[in-house]
Amino acid sequence: MFKLNGDAETRSRIANQFAEALMALPEKITCLRSMEVGINSNPAEDWDLVLTAIVGSMAEVSEYATHPDHVAAASIVAPYKAARACVDYEC
């Protein structure tokens, strides 16, 4: 989950740019089985975006996280990131 800095318009714009970049990753990163991105539409909530990335193993979490296309996508949100919450787990 990501909480972004800025006014509502800026947060929405950045969340949408980030979501678009994230949704393109399964075609670029072979270990990434699927990606789901949700942008908050409830102004009463504090978090702006949530993503679920499915990979085959914990080792592939590192492969995904360090892949140049993921790093490029993350650079979109980096200047606006107020907070990030992450849970990596095995199914």
Side-chain angles (χ1 to χ4, degrees):
M1 292 191 320
F2 291 84
K3 185 183 297 188
L4 304 178
N5 289 315
D7 60 28
E9 182 180 328
T10 299
R11 293 190 338 268
S12 176
R13 179 176 49 82
I14 297 304
N16 279 287
Q17 288 175 2
F18 187 39
E20 184 177 328
L22 290 170
M23 292 306 295
L25 293 180
E27 295 178 10
K28 299 175 180 181
I29 303 175
T30 57
C31 71
L32 186 54
R33 294 181 181 177
S34 68
M35 173 73 70
E36 182 178 338
V37 180
I39 297 173
N40 181 39
S41 56
N42 182 352
E45 295 298 335
D46 294 329
W47 293 84
D48 296 292
L49 182 137
V50 63
L51 72 94
T52 302
I54 306 295
V55 296
S57 68
M58 290 304 291
E60 289 178 338
V61 171
S62 293
E63 181 181 340
Y64 158 70
T66 60
H67 191 282
D69 289 312
H70 175 261
V71 172
S75 72
I76 294 168
V77 77
Y80 301 92
K81 184 171 57 176
R84 174 182 171 269
C86 179
V87 176
D88 293 327
Y89 61 93
E90 296 184 67
C91 296

